[in-house]
Amino acid sequence: MGHRPARTGSGHLPAYGRLLLDVLRGDPALSIRGDEAEEAWRVLEPVLSAWERDLVPLEEYPAGSAGPAPRLAMPELRQDLLHEGIVMPTES
């Protein structure tokens, strides 16, 4: 008897189900190279550090909501936003 793929019934999977199926099939689009992972952490680590040190706010909001309420329409006027000079000091 040969291998037969499992059927999902309606033929429609929710997004997470499609993701899991693609992972099981070995879709290379779902993984990144080592240098990409290193670069992602290079960018992310200073942000996490800034949140940990209370240099910038980490806004919380209820799951499923539209997100935190806007406070100012023009981000360049916000003093609490993440600025590169605070989080990622330039190398001298």
Side-chain angles (χ1 to χ4, degrees):
M1 221 172 199
H3 177 265
R4 296 174 68 168
R7 296 186 183 264
T8 60
S10 69
H12 175 74
L13 286 173
Y16 193 67
R18 287 191 311 271
L19 173 66
L20 289 175
L21 185 59
D22 287 343
V23 166
L24 292 172
R25 289 179 176 159
D27 184 345
L30 301 173
S31 60
I32 61 173
R33 296 186 323 255
D35 61 327
E36 292 173 314
E38 292 291 328
E39 181 64 11
W41 278 111
R42 185 192 70 76
V43 171
L44 187 58
E45 282 181 320
V47 174
L48 295 173
S49 176
W51 282 338
E52 185 177 278
R53 295 179 294 157
D54 290 325
L55 294 177
V56 292
L58 176 60
E59 297 186 27
E60 295 183 9
Y61 51 90
S65 73
R71 289 186 282 175
L72 289 175
M74 297 174 26
E76 62 272 11
L77 298 178
R78 288 189 53 185
Q79 297 300 312
D80 64 334
L81 286 177
L82 188 63
H83 295 285
E84 284 188 31
I86 293 172
V87 178
M88 295 180 69
T90 56
E91 294 179 26
S92 308

